[in-house]
């Protein structure tokens, strides 16, 4: 059975990446850091796997690659 995707919150992302809050949001806007996932009306987090991909190779990370991976996974299930 596959392990479900974990959602991690802002403080965890900041601690793992070493980025400041303003740098994190600037990178999201530039497409060089994973986008947030809405988890409630006032809450959001990040897919842990996407953050881990960024940590593994920050200069090579592009958010559009995450979108392509999600599309492939959707087609594989479909």
């Amino acid at each position: 059975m596959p392990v479900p995707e974990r959602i991690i919150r802002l403080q965890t992302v900041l601690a793992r990446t070493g980025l400041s809050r303003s740098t994190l949001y600037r990178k999201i806007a530039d497409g060089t850091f994973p986008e947030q996932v809405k988890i409630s009306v006032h809450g959001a987090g990040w897919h842990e796997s996407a953050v881990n991909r960024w940590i593994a190779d920050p200069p090579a990370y592009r958010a559009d690659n995450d979108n392509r991976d999600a599309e492939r996974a959707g087609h594989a299930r479909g």
Side-chain angles (χ1 to χ4, degrees), residues 14 34 38-39 50-51:
L14 296 178
K38 193 160 185 77
I39 57 177
V51 173

Side-chain angles (χ1 to χ4, degrees), residues 63-76:
D64 57 339
N65 292 341
D66 277 342
N67 294 337
R68 277 191 232 122
D69 291 344
E71 287 174 9
R72 280 190 218 122
H75 291 308

Side-chain angles (χ1 to χ4, degrees), residues 28-72:
I28 291 169
D30 292 344
T32 58
F33 195 85
E35 291 185 16
Q36 292 174 289
V37 177
K38 193 160 185 77
I39 57 177
S40 69
V41 174
H42 298 289
W46 285 262
H47 287 284
E48 184 175 38
S49 61
V51 173
N52 289 340
R53 280 192 294 278
W54 184 88
I55 290 169
D57 194 1
Y61 182 87
R62 293 293 174 263
D64 57 339
N65 292 341
D66 277 342
N67 294 337
R68 277 191 232 122
D69 291 344
E71 287 174 9
R72 280 190 218 122

